[in-house]
Each structure stands twice: as C-alpha cells, then as structure tokens.
Amino acid sequence: MSTVGNSTNIFWQECPVGRAERQKLLNQKGCVLWITGLSGSGKSTLACTVGRELHSKGKLSYILDGDNLRHGLNRDLGFKAEDRTENIRRVGEVAKLFADAGLICIASLISPYRKDRDACRAMLPDANFIEVFMNMPLQLCEERDAKGLYKLARAGKIKGFTGIDDPYEPPLNCEIEIQQKDGVCPSPSDMAGEVVTYLGEKGFLQYS
Amino acid sequence: MSTVGNSTNIFWQECPVGRAERQKLLNQKGCVLWITGLSGSGKSTLACTVGRELHSKGKLSYILDGDNLRHGLNRDLGFKAEDRTENIRRVGEVAKLFADAGLICIASLISPYRKDRDACRAMLPDANFIEVFMNMPLQLCEERDAKGLYKLARAGKIKGFTGIDDPYEPPLNCEIEIQQKDGVCPSPSDMAGEVVTYLGEKGFLQYS
C-alpha cells in the first residue's frame, strides 16, 4: 500500500502485496545494516562477509557501497560538506527502499558525521536501523593504506580526508561495535558472525 | 563483485555473492519494467496488478512509484525541466540497483520525455529494460481525472502538465504497448497477464 499511497494517478488501487507479503516470501525481515568507520577500517570486508554468510543461510541481502554509488546515483555529487550530506541522505533513502522490499540492506560508507547517520536512522523504525561501528585505530587504518590515500592526505594532496584533516565522529549508541581484542583484529568471519548472530537474535532471519 | 569494484577501502575483497547468486536464490532474473504514460492512464493499477501476479507465482518484485519517491529520495526536486530529468535519472539508477539485487523492479512514472527514458534504458543491458507504454487516449485519461489534475491544468492552475501544455513523447520501440481494443480498455488482470507472460517468455521468471 505504501508504494501507491501518494500516487496522483487516477485509480486508487489498494496494492495487495506489501512489505509483509514480501518478507513472508523471503522468510526474513527487511532492515538496514549501516557500517561506518574510517577508510581502511574493513567496512567492505565486513559487508561482503556478512553478505556471504546470509546467502549461505538462504537470506537475501544487498550491499550499497558508498564509492560505487558515486559512479551512478550520486555521480553529480562532490566532496564538499553539503554534497557529503546529500550523498548519505540518498543512500539512506535507497537503503530504506531495500528494507521495504524485504532485503537486508548493507550500507558501507565512511559516513563520518553523526548527524548524517542519525538522519538515516530517523528514516526507519529504530529497530530496523542497525549501526555497525568499525572501531579500528587510525594508526592501523593508516598502516594498511592499500590505496595510498592516507599517504596522499598526509602530504596535503587530498584535502578534507576523514581522520587526517576532517573529523570522524564515532557513534554514541551503535548497535554493534567491532574492535580489536588484545591488539588483534577479529577475523572477517568472526566479525560477520557477530553481525549475523545479532540479526538472528533480533528476529530478522525469519518472517514470523 | 560489482558492489566493491570501485571501493577505496583497503582490503580488496572478491565479493563471492553477486547478481547470479541472488538470482539463483530467488529463481528469477532481475530486470526493470518501466511503465510510462499519461496521468490517469493506469500505470499504478498495472504496477500493482503485475506485482500481485508475480507474488502469486512466488516471484519478488518491488514498485518504484514516481510520486512516492518525490516524498523521499527526490524530495529536493521540483518540476522544472532539469529537475524532471534528474528525477527520472535517479529512479533509473535505483531501478538498476534493484535489478542487480535480483528483483523485478516495476518503475511507474509518467516519464514523458523519450530521452530521459532512453537514458534509463542505457543504464542496463537492453534486454533487461522492458518499456511498457500505457497508450490510452488523452480524452479517456482526462475523463477519469479522479484527482482533478486535468481540470486544474485546463484552468491554467497547474502549468506544464503532461498532455495539456507539456508534451508526452510516446516510445518508438517499446517492448509492450497496452491499448484499448474496439474502444474498450483491457482489464487490469488482462493487462498484467500480458506483462507477466512476456516476462515468462523472456526467461525472467526462472533462474536457469
């Protein structure tokens, strides 16, 4: 019903297939996993590993990757403050649509500002927005630096780089926090296991 | 893989779950049904009825409704020419994501300009973009006028209304055309049947 609620077309058609019916078909509940953290903190790794774990359980997920979307939906946006905010807003709106479609939508973006993440959270019923904070030390992320972005940022060749000359605001009340234990990073499989266990416990992996 | 192809994160992770795996899970193939036509031509009716028919066959679809998206993703856009184009572009990009997720994405928008629709078509492999033209006479749409929009447009109270003082450019090579037969509109069920039959014949309703 929500998909035609504001239609200006002439026939008011009660749309008999809604979120509940899609969730029942998929035997899962739609939600948004929002993975936030510094560049190099392992967001994409976690996103892919969670996607694989879910698929092995017969569950349908879809990854919205911040960088990839900048080649499509968000290709008109740059990196100034208002563009970053609009970038996150659109990803939030699209993630909401995927959750409404019944999917477990995995959004993977640095999303450094708390207000932008909270605006996305506010688009959904609170329980359906699961914020996953990749709480890895800047030093570790910078050491990894596979793409050399930190090096460029330190050299002043990239301006406004999160963690270097632009702030990362950690979540205050995230649902899941991934961090080192005794100075050791959890394996991708362990990180993903924590997330998938959470989804199971909260009832997202079945319909009823 | 495509979901991490442009990631700037440090770990290059081959994402083992891609479009093919999702399509296999769903036993269908992702595509975009793009329903275009005048206000009052029955786009929403067709979208809902196709969604219901597909659901009854155990297939997962999702409707992107042009008006509804203007309350969310496209709420920053108005109705001037460049905003209309951007509105359609974003819906096209999102539809492409849904098709990549494995869903049968049903986009329902007036989308009056050929170049805007063709730009959406160009985002996908051609076979995966199925343009459905609701070819109903303006007179019929105007007689229906349940929301009174045509009346307002005729009175000059809405400017740039498609079919009245803004053109509708019919598709030149659409995949499906819905029209009256002997002056009678096909029933929603008949219209939807034609679309679902097309999807079946083209192999979208099974994976292999």
Side-chain angles (χ1 to χ4, degrees):
Chain A
M1 248 177 306
S2 64
T3 52
V4 294
N6 297 303
S7 173
T8 58
N9 283 322
I10 189 156
F11 285 117
W12 173 261
Q13 176 92 4
E14 289 253 330
C15 219
V17 179
R19 180 177 188 143
E21 286 71 25
R22 289 185 291 269
Q23 294 185 145
K24 194 170 179 183
L25 177 67
L26 294 169
N27 192 27
Q28 64 184 49
K29 292 197 195 89
C31 62
V32 175
L33 274 176
W34 191 279
I35 307 177
T36 173
L38 294 171
S39 177
S41 61
K43 297 183 297 300
S44 294
T45 301
L46 178 61
C48 280
T49 313
V50 168
R52 190 178 58 200
E53 288 296 307
L54 290 173
H55 189 262
S56 76
K57 293 176 182 294
K59 303 304 168 189
L60 185 65
S61 66
Y62 191 68
I63 297 172
L64 297 178
D65 178 278
D67 290 320
N68 286 2
L69 289 176
R70 282 188 175 273
H71 290 79
L73 178 65
N74 294 335
R75 71 173 176 208
D76 54 321
L77 302 174
F79 288 91
K80 55 187 179 176
E82 63 265 38
D83 280 10
R84 283 178 186 245
T85 293
E86 173 65 6
N87 181 57
I88 308 262
R89 183 190 76 82
R90 289 190 202 165
V91 177
E93 293 282 4
V94 173
K96 179 185 174 176
L97 295 174
F98 272 98
D100 185 51
L103 282 77
I104 295 162
C105 182
I106 306 171
S108 170
L109 300 90
I110 296 174
S111 50
Y113 304 133
R114 204 174 287 135
K115 71 171 170 46
D116 294 338
R117 296 192 304 268
D118 287 349
C120 292
R121 179 185 289 274
M123 294 175 191
L124 290 139
D126 202 49
N128 293 359
F129 187 89
I130 301 149
E131 195 171 354
V132 182
F133 174 30
M134 300 299 293
N135 188 7
M136 296 295 159
L138 173 63
Q139 192 189 342
L140 174 70
C141 299
E142 193 167 354
E143 281 168 11
R144 289 172 170 172
D145 204 17
K147 295 244 166 180
L149 295 173
Y150 281 102
K151 200 171 176 187
L152 290 171
R154 289 287 185 197
K157 291 174 184 166
I158 301 177
K159 300 289 183 193
F161 196 77
T162 300
I164 305 300
D165 58 346
D166 211 62
Y168 179 83
E169 300 173 355
L172 299 177
N173 287 298
C174 63
E175 280 73 12
I176 300 172
E177 183 171 349
I178 307 284
Q179 53 189 322
Q180 294 182 308
K181 276 152 196 147
D182 305 322
V184 179
C185 278
S187 70
S189 168
D190 285 349
M191 295 191 292
E194 187 176 342
V195 173
V196 173
T197 298
Y198 180 94
L199 292 173
E201 286 174 357
K202 296 292 180 181
F204 289 105
L205 304 186
Q206 54 184 27
Y207 170 66
S208 60
Chain B
M1 244 176 311
S2 64
T3 52
V4 294
N6 297 303
S7 172
T8 58
N9 284 324
I10 188 155
F11 285 119
W12 173 261
Q13 175 93 1
E14 289 253 332
C15 219
V17 178
R19 180 177 187 143
E21 286 71 24
R22 289 185 291 269
Q23 294 186 145
K24 194 169 180 182
L25 178 67
L26 294 169
N27 192 28
Q28 64 184 48
K29 292 197 195 89
C31 61
V32 175
L33 275 177
W34 191 280
I35 306 177
T36 173
L38 294 172
S39 177
S41 62
K43 298 182 298 299
S44 294
T45 301
L46 178 61
C48 280
T49 313
V50 168
R52 191 179 57 200
E53 288 296 307
L54 290 172
H55 190 261
S56 75
K57 293 174 181 296
K59 303 303 168 189
L60 185 65
S61 66
Y62 191 67
I63 298 172
L64 297 177
D65 178 278
D67 291 319
N68 286 2
L69 288 175
R70 282 189 174 273
H71 290 80
L73 177 65
N74 294 336
R75 71 174 175 208
D76 54 321
L77 302 174
F79 288 90
K80 54 186 180 177
E82 62 263 40
D83 281 9
R84 283 178 185 243
T85 293
E86 173 66 5
N87 181 56
I88 307 263
R89 183 189 76 81
R90 288 190 202 163
V91 176
E93 292 283 5
V94 173
K96 178 184 175 178
L97 295 174
F98 272 99
D100 185 52
L103 281 77
I104 295 162
C105 182
I106 306 170
S108 170
L109 299 90
I110 296 174
S111 48
Y113 303 134
R114 204 174 286 135
K115 72 171 169 44
D116 294 338
R117 296 192 304 268
D118 287 349
C120 292
R121 179 185 288 273
M123 293 175 191
L124 290 138
D126 201 50
N128 292 358
F129 186 89
I130 301 149
E131 194 171 355
V132 183
F133 174 29
M134 300 299 292
N135 187 8
M136 296 296 158
L138 173 63
Q139 191 189 341
L140 175 69
C141 300
E142 194 167 354
E143 280 168 12
R144 289 172 171 171
D145 204 17
K147 295 243 168 184
L149 296 173
Y150 282 101
K151 200 172 175 187
L152 290 171
R154 288 287 185 196
K157 291 174 183 166
I158 302 177
K159 300 287 182 193
F161 195 76
T162 300
I164 305 300
D165 58 344
D166 211 65
Y168 178 84
E169 300 173 353
L172 299 177
N173 287 298
C174 63
E175 280 72 13
I176 301 172
E177 183 171 348
I178 307 284
Q179 51 188 323
Q180 293 181 310
K181 276 153 196 146
D182 305 321
V184 178
C185 278
S187 70
S189 167
D190 285 348
M191 295 191 292
E194 186 176 340
V195 173
V196 173
T197 297
Y198 181 95
L199 292 173
E201 286 173 358
K202 297 291 180 182
F204 289 104
L205 304 187
Q206 55 184 25
Y207 170 64
S208 60

